[in-house]
Amino acid sequence: DFGQALAVVAGVERTVHFLVVSFPYSNMRYVAALPGETAECVCHGLNKVFSHAGMVPRVLVFDNATGVGHRRADGTVTQTRLFSLFCAHYGFETRFCNPYSGHEKGAVESKVGMVRRKLFVPRPSVWSLENFNAGLPDRCLELATKPHYRKDTEERGLFSEDRAALLPLPGKRFDVVTWKRMRTDKYGVVTLDGRHRYSTDGSHARRDVLVGLRALEI
């Protein structure tokens, strides 16, 4: 699930979207801070979670299809090409909660609130989201030192049992990028989503260029 919070990034206050991945058995959670909830952001965040966990969940349950696919009128979800490739690379299955069915995602929604209170209050001030993300795994482990709400064991201790049921990481990390062929204007500038302008070399004016879209860079 995603949550939102304010943070000061490179001196500018902005809304940060944070991805929370919850492991229900141990109650462990991992977090990744991102600029949005696009397919590139979701896959980038999951890449970080998989790396921190050292394993890959066999099944991922999403609260909705935002960022990774489009939900049709009949309730089925058509995944984006990038996310489908990401799933195939890591070998996990996906499921999506039904709309307006809070009982299907109560555990992770409560963790979103907890993460906002514990990791974003007071409002963090960071140089970049990548710098902020570098410290989040340790913060998550600190939060997991408390006893499980039903089991008389620390959450991070129970997570070792979670990991035993997960899939191993593949030998190569998935490169999260969407490639688009775009036409530059007379100044060598490409425009994304009708409003974001990026300059290429002037020699590329009025030419087709290949643009790589990543979670944190173009």
Side-chain angles (χ1 to χ4, degrees):
D1 196 4
F2 269 100
Q4 296 182 21
L6 292 177
V8 177
V9 182
V12 178
E13 184 179 80
R14 57 188 294 186
T15 298
V16 173
H17 300 249
F18 57 93
L19 175 68
V20 179
V21 178
S22 170
F23 295 83
Y25 175 78
S26 62
N27 207 36
M28 180 68 181
R29 85 291 300 159
Y30 277 108
V31 182
L34 301 156
E37 300 179 22
T38 63
E40 291 80 16
C41 288
V42 173
C43 294
H44 181 80
L46 289 175
N47 247 348
K48 288 195 167 296
V49 170
F50 296 167
S51 177
H52 299 329
M55 306 289 282
V56 179
R58 294 178 182 273
V59 179
L60 281 176
V61 181
F62 289 84
D63 67 325
N64 56 54
T66 301
V68 299
H70 172 71
R71 188 184 294 276
R72 297 180 176 178
D74 62 1
T76 60
V77 174
T78 300
Q79 296 179 357
T80 64
R81 181 175 184 275
L82 178 66
F83 186 68
S84 293
L85 293 173
F86 186 81
C87 294
H89 181 83
Y90 286 108
F92 61 84
E93 299 178 23
T94 57
R95 298 175 189 166
F96 296 91
C97 294
N98 294 307
Y100 313 113
S101 300
H103 63 281
E104 296 182 355
K105 53 185 178 178
V108 72
E109 282 192 336
S110 66
K111 287 182 176 60
V112 168
M114 185 270 285
V115 166
R116 184 183 292 109
R117 294 188 299 273
K118 297 292 187 180
L119 302 184
F120 289 90
V121 177
R123 183 184 57 183
S125 181
V126 297
W127 175 247
S128 69
L129 290 182
E130 283 295 77
N131 286 346
F132 187 44
N133 280 323
L136 286 179
D138 288 339
R139 299 288 302 279
C140 289
L141 285 174
E142 290 173 7
L143 294 177
T145 56
K146 63 182 180 66
H148 188 276
Y149 65 97
R150 288 183 179 174
K151 309 176 181 76
D152 189 24
T153 306
E154 284 188 355
E155 292 173 346
R156 65 179 183 179
L158 290 169
F159 186 60
S160 61
E161 297 179 46
D162 264 330
R163 293 184 75 254
L166 304 183
L167 298 169
L169 286 168
K172 186 175 182 180
R173 189 173 184 177
F174 185 84
D175 185 19
V176 181
V177 58
T178 296
W179 296 103
K180 287 188 176 183
R181 188 171 296 278
M182 304 186 69
R183 187 78 171 180
T184 65
D185 63 15
K186 62 181 179 180
Y187 303 107
V189 172
V190 294
T191 303
L192 296 173
D193 298 330
R195 56 196 178 97
H196 301 295
R197 293 167 56 83
Y198 296 90
S199 295
T200 68
D201 188 276
S203 62
H204 296 311
R206 292 193 174 95
R207 296 180 60 182
D208 287 340
V209 294
L210 197 60
V211 179
L213 308 179
R214 300 179 186 275
L216 302 176
E217 62 182 357
I218 304 296

